[in-house]
């Protein structure tokens, strides 16, 4: 009868995996922080609705990603020089493997950044990770290194914050540094330069397929997104002073819009036939850009510097790092409501089943209802510092804090 028990266990495991929505990269399946799952937990604390809590060695602000019953994330140890990729069991939090992939040189970064900030990405067979010096590595699900590419020498006043994305057989990474060799006074930071590039690597081998050149731009940490235009995909990518469209198959720059600002962080959001970008420090503004590079609207009233926006049903939601949340009409930019939820915010929000989750650096999550009227539903405190964005899978919220990975779940709403 033992074999019957094993079959039942395997069947239950298969059903668990099949029912879970994968969260394969930064901000999930659409790269926009939106989950199709329902019945996520509304209330939790350190003593309630915590399914597990696992200590994570080292430091890093990459977000967790999930594929089936596997969690992947990166961290750095030994002051940031030792680069690691980890896999955890999503059901139990047990660390399955911790692979030291290489050592990196610890160059400049902002205090709020880390040496392991880019969120990894997976295609369900391999996991791809980028670290602060621009080094890229691919591993299989057993933790074995498949290849590495360390050809892009990245240096920035702020460190590295963008994350890679996958498109067909390509791994695409935006590199928007302020130098390729070390600090040069104001170059690429206050003074535009031509050293930024988007790299597309063959995901099976790590070999460079194309390099997309921006032209004059400044440093940034923006994760690009993909947008369908007339039946073809465009790669929409922003950096200091620019919002641009590229052919994701060749790297050809198709259009470019001027958007003054440096140190740009919020990722690109797509919706209603428009791409939405926030222009960073100096002249911070939200811009809605139509395919081809026409600016549909721009406004400054609710523009954040760090968190990315949420698009849902014709509305844009944003949380400023000072804790002010805003809802806008995505077609016009008109502010519909603006409310102070409090706290300091670095993480980008997530949306699921009509609820938006804003996670502050103090580990407090404010949950609101979507819509044209502000309605707060809950506040939940974990009491640990965090800057990483949440991940969502199988009815659970996964939160990375300074020292732990948390799985938050419940049996009811």
């Amino acid at each position: 009868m033992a074999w019957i028990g094993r079959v039942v266990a395997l069947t239950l495991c298969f059903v668990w995996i099949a029912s879970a929505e994968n969260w394969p990269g930064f901000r999930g399946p659409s790269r926009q922080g939106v989950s199709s799952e329902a019945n996520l937990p509304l209330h939790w604390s350190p003593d309630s609705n915590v399914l597990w809590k696992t200590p994570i060695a080292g430091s890093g602000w990459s977000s967790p990603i999930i594929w089936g019953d596997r969690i992947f994330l990166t961290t750095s140890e030994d002051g940031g020089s030792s680069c690691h990729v980890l896999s955890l069991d999503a059901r139990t939090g047990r660390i399955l493997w911790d692979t030291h992939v290489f050592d990196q040189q610890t160059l400049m970064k902002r205090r709020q950044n880390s040496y392991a900030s880019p969120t990894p990405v997976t295609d369900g067979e391999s996991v791809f990770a980028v670290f602060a010096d621009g080094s890229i590595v691919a591993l299989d699900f057993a933790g074995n290194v498949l290849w590495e590419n360390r050809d892009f020498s990245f240096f920035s006043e702020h460190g590295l914050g963008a994350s890679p994305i996958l498109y067909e057989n390509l791994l695409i990474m935006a590199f928007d540094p302020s130098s390729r060799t070390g600090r040069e006074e104001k170059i690429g930071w206050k003074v535009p330069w031509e050293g930024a590039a988007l790299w597309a690597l063959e995901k099976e081998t790590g070999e460079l397929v194309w390099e997309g050149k921006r032209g004059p731009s400044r440093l940034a940490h923006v994760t690009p997104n993909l947008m369908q235009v007339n039946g073809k995909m465009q790669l929409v990518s922003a950096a200091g002073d620019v919002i641009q469209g590229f052919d994701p198959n060749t790297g050809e720059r198709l259009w470019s819009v001027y958007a003054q600002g440096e140190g740009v962080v919020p990722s690109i959001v797509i919706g209603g036939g428009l791409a939405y970008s926030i222009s960073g420090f100096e002249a911070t503004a939200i811009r809605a850009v139509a395919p081809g590079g026409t600016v549909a609207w721009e406004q400054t009233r609710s523009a954040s510097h760090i968190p990315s926006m949420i698009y849902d049903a014709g509305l844009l939601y944003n949380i400023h790092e000072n804790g002010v949340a805003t809802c806008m009409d995505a077609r016009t930019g008109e502010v519909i409501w603006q409310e102070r939820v409090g706290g300091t915010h670095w993480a980008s929000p997530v949306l699921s089943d009509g609820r938006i989750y804003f996670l502050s650096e103090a580990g407090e999550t404010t949950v609101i209802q979507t819509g044209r009227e502000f309605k707060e539903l809950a506040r939940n405190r974990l009491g640990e510092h965090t800057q990483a964005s949440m991940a969502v899978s199988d009815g659970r919220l996964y939160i990375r804090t300074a020292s732990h990975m948390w799985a938050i779940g419940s049996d009811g709403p």
Side-chain angles (χ1 to χ4, degrees):
M1 299 296 289
W3 66 272
I4 297 177
R6 287 195 294 270
V7 169
V8 171
L10 287 171
T11 301
L12 290 174
C13 180
F14 175 79
V15 170
W16 188 91
I17 294 172
S19 65
E21 177 189 48
N22 293 319
W23 195 266
F26 181 59
R27 307 206 74 203
S30 64
R31 297 166 294 275
Q32 307 216 133
V34 177
S35 170
S36 63
E37 296 202 0
N39 299 319
L40 290 180
L42 179 59
H43 300 285
W44 65 87
S45 74
D47 302 315
S48 65
N49 285 336
V50 174
L51 302 180
W52 51 258
K53 173 185 174 184
T54 299
I56 302 298
S59 63
W61 290 127
S62 60
S63 299
I65 62 171
I66 298 97
W67 191 279
D69 62 352
R70 294 292 194 93
I71 298 173
F72 303 97
L73 73 159
T74 63
T75 190
S76 63
E77 299 185 30
D78 298 331
S81 63
S82 181
C83 301
H84 294 248
V85 180
L86 291 76
S87 179
L88 285 72
D89 187 317
R91 294 164 296 180
T92 66
R94 181 171 67 92
I95 295 177
L96 302 173
W97 48 260
D98 177 348
T99 300
H100 170 230
V101 291
F102 42 63
D103 292 330
Q104 66 179 345
Q105 186 178 1
T106 53
L107 302 172
M108 287 185 66
K109 68 172 183 66
R110 287 182 62 87
R111 176 182 56 83
Q112 298 91 341
N113 206 345
S114 76
Y115 291 111
S117 288
T119 295
V121 66
T122 182
D123 61 1
E125 296 180 354
S126 304
V127 57
F128 308 89
V130 183
F131 288 86
D133 69 353
S135 297
I136 308 171
V137 64
L139 302 91
D140 63 22
F141 272 31
N144 302 305
V145 173
L146 302 173
W147 55 258
E148 61 181 56
N149 185 315
R150 309 191 71 178
D151 294 339
F152 198 101
S153 179
F154 185 88
F155 175 87
S156 170
E157 299 286 325
H158 298 167
L160 180 59
S163 298
I165 69 169
L166 288 167
Y167 168 71
E168 295 186 348
N169 67 321
L170 299 177
L171 177 75
I172 300 174
M173 180 68 190
F175 287 119
D176 292 288
S178 53
S179 172
R180 289 293 292 271
T181 58
R183 185 171 191 176
E184 299 175 32
E185 189 66 25
K186 297 185 179 181
I187 300 299
W189 175 32
K190 295 299 182 183
V191 178
W193 74 315
E194 306 241 359
L198 284 85
W199 272 25
L201 306 183
E202 164 57 53
K203 72 174 186 176
E204 302 296 332
T205 65
E207 296 180 359
L208 181 66
V209 176
W210 56 254
E211 181 178 50
K213 302 297 289 184
R214 291 202 186 278
S217 66
R218 291 187 286 166
L219 65 85
H221 316 280
V222 180
T223 301
N225 209 339
L226 293 161
M227 181 180 189
Q228 191 169 65
V229 181
N230 297 324
K232 295 183 178 180
M233 298 303 294
Q234 282 190 15
L235 180 73
V236 183
S237 179
D241 295 337
V242 295
I243 309 167
Q244 298 172 320
F246 294 83
D247 184 331
N249 296 294
T250 66
E252 176 190 2
R253 192 170 76 236
L254 304 174
W255 52 266
S256 186
V257 171
Y258 181 72
Q260 183 183 346
E262 56 86 17
V264 188
V265 177
S267 59
I268 298 296
V269 172
I270 306 296
L274 298 172
Y276 303 93
S277 177
I278 308 181
S279 62
F281 296 86
E282 285 186 356
T284 311
I286 301 173
R287 288 181 177 85
V289 182
T294 302
V295 177
W297 57 261
E298 60 181 69
Q299 63 106 329
T300 61
R301 180 178 167 188
S302 55
S304 65
H305 296 102
I306 308 298
S308 305
M309 295 181 286
I310 290 282
Y311 175 90
D312 179 61
L315 299 177
L316 278 176
Y317 301 88
N318 189 31
I319 183 79
H320 194 279
E321 48 285 10
N322 66 8
V324 175
T326 305
C327 173
M328 295 159 277
D329 187 306
R331 291 182 301 105
T332 65
E334 175 192 0
V335 173
I336 297 170
W337 56 253
Q338 194 166 59
E339 298 285 342
R340 179 171 294 280
V341 301
T344 300
H345 293 254
W346 307 102
S348 296
V350 297
L351 164 69
S352 176
D353 196 24
R355 299 172 180 171
I356 297 177
Y357 296 74
F358 295 117
L359 175 62
S360 79
E361 72 168 6
E364 180 178 71
T365 302
T366 303
V367 188
I368 70 165
Q369 183 173 297
T370 57
R372 301 179 73 88
E373 295 183 3
F374 177 81
K375 182 178 181 181
E376 181 177 310
L377 301 176
R379 285 183 182 255
N380 307 290
R381 296 174 177 87
L382 290 181
E384 288 192 7
H385 180 85
T386 184
Q387 295 175 206
S389 300
M390 291 181 177
V392 180
S393 182
D394 196 46
R396 301 177 176 187
L397 297 166
Y398 294 94
I399 300 176
R400 180 187 191 164
T401 63
S403 54
H404 293 91
M405 266 292 305
W406 300 67
I408 309 298
S410 65
D411 296 327

